[in-house]
Amino acid sequence: MTERLLENQVAWVTGAGRGFGAGIARGLAQAGARVCISDIETAELAATAAELRSDGGQALVQLTDVTDAEAMRATADAIVAAWGRLDVIVNNAAIMPLVPFAAHTPDFWRKMIDVNLTGVYHGVWAAWPHMVRQGGGHCIAIASGASGRGFVDEVAYCTAKHGIEGFTKALALEAEPHNIAINTMGPGKLIKPTSITRADEAKLSDADRSRWIDPLSLAPAFVWLAAQPPSRFTGLRFDAGPLADTIATEGYAFEFAPEKTTIYVEDMKERMARRKQSAANG
Ligand SMILES: NC(=O)c1ccc[n+]([C@@H]2O[C@H](COP(=O)([O-])OP(=O)(O)OC[C@H]3O[C@@H](n4cnc5c(N)ncnc54)[C@H](O)[C@@H]3O)[C@@H](O)[C@H]2O)c1
């Protein structure tokens, strides 16, 4: 039985048509949140909406491209018009075509940065005035191995994911006075590769699918973070795999330790120490 920790909360998950975003959205709804799901793929979105509603959850479905700033702001406004608030945004939408640098064009580069990095900025920019007005909120972007390491054929993707970490560290400082937490969360376990659609996945053998875990099993990590007071953790990078394992063994009220919540323990300790130091320096 899912604990309904987010009973009065409103969440928005971008790129929620399938994959990680669909699992996160469903898990947040199972925890009691009213959830806006947005994507650019109508059929994928409809499938996620059906999943949420079959669990008895509420879903607001929005066809919104994360590269379109005004559409993102209109979506945030529609959420607040429907439900009165916006507590959590999960900036999940991304694309990850594997392209060697020699085959890059400026248009390809711009598209990758627009979707994968500027899309995150647009989500926070759209949610920000509502969160400031209501006195707080959580902005969670999706991290990856590519957030801290380089990979062949992923130059633009790695650049965008590294950029999200810089955005997170810097914005956390400005968001703190508004009680807005800015964090990232990686899957931390093997999930279906990006860009495989629901239809593609259905055609695969059970053996193929069994290599990936169901992203819904990682959703408790997002429920836990969204249920924290925003002032408790900010500017950090979490990983859903270890966090969901911790919650499964110790429950949602587990005693915090970095190694229970991230693969990148030293990085988290360093970020926490910096925050403490800057608070001490005023
Ligand atoms: N799959 C992995 O192994 C993996 C590993 C680490 C991190 N991630 C991250 O997880 C997140 C989700 O990826 P996924 O693997 O579930 O991918 P996915 O391709 O299954 O899902 C991404 C969704 O984003 C949507 N999308 C794409 N461009 C969009 C746009 N411009 N506006 C709105 N929606 C858009 C797609 O239609 C799709 O529904 C991404 O941030 C990705 O970088 C994935």
Side-chain angles (χ1 to χ4, degrees):
M1 170 77 187
T2 312
E3 285 187 48
R4 304 213 19 117
L5 294 182
L6 305 180
E7 202 69 75
N8 297 311
Q9 294 213 26
V10 172
W12 174 15
V13 183
T14 69
R18 60 169 183 257
F20 201 18
I24 295 165
R26 191 172 185 182
L28 294 173
Q30 287 179 352
R34 286 162 288 174
V35 182
C36 171
I37 51 174
S38 66
D39 205 291
I40 48 172
E41 298 287 347
T42 311
E44 303 279 58
L45 261 181
T48 306
E51 287 168 356
L52 266 63
R53 288 172 185 148
S54 73
D55 293 338
Q58 289 190 50
L60 178 67
V61 180
Q62 295 277 299
L63 199 61
T64 310
D65 188 325
V66 295
T67 66
D68 183 338
E70 292 310 324
M72 289 291 280
R73 188 152 267 181
T75 295
D77 293 349
I79 295 168
V80 175
W83 292 327
R85 52 190 302 112
L86 175 54
D87 300 286
V88 184
I89 179 165
V90 181
N91 284 299
N92 164 81
I95 50 173
M96 196 197 139
L98 296 176
V99 179
F101 183 68
H104 273 50
T105 62
D107 280 349
F108 171 77
W109 175 267
R110 257 190 298 276
K111 166 104 182 169
M112 290 296 288
I113 301 301
D114 268 5
V115 177
N116 295 340
L117 180 55
T118 309
V120 173
Y121 160 73
H122 285 158
V124 174
W125 172 77
W128 182 268
H130 300 294
M131 290 184 175
V132 168
R133 181 185 40 78
Q134 75 199 15
H138 283 273
C139 300
I140 308 169
I142 302 301
S144 152
S147 303
R149 284 178 57 198
F151 291 91
V152 170
D153 296 343
E154 295 183 20
V155 172
Y157 181 78
C158 287
T159 302
K161 288 295 186 190
H162 276 65
I164 292 172
E165 294 305 317
F167 176 78
T168 297
K169 289 176 193 173
L171 184 58
L173 303 171
E174 293 188 41
E176 198 164 342
H178 300 290
N179 194 37
I180 299 172
I182 312 288
N183 291 295
T184 67
M185 179 91 75
K189 285 200 177 174
L190 209 57
I191 54 172
K192 166 197 84 56
T194 302
S195 86
I196 292 182
T197 64
R198 287 174 180 270
D200 296 335
E201 202 179 353
K203 287 185 213 140
L204 296 172
S205 67
D206 288 347
D208 276 338
R209 277 196 299 267
S210 69
R211 287 184 285 136
W212 313 316
I213 65 156
D214 181 349
L216 180 60
S217 68
L218 300 176
F222 291 84
V223 172
W224 174 82
L225 186 52
Q228 301 303 310
S231 57
R232 190 171 182 208
F233 301 109
T234 191
L236 303 179
R237 174 182 176 174
F238 294 93
D239 286 294
L243 241 170
D245 287 346
T246 299
I247 294 160
T249 52
E250 299 183 42
Y252 277 103
F254 69 87
E255 193 179 334
F256 174 81
E259 37 289 326
K260 295 180 182 179
T261 64
T262 184
I263 297 169
Y264 302 94
V265 173
E266 290 313 312
D267 173 65
M268 180 178 277
K269 285 182 179 166
E270 191 186 316
R271 294 191 199 196
M272 292 181 94
R274 273 189 206 286
R275 184 180 177 206
K276 217 168 165 179
Q277 196 176 36
S278 62
N281 294 343

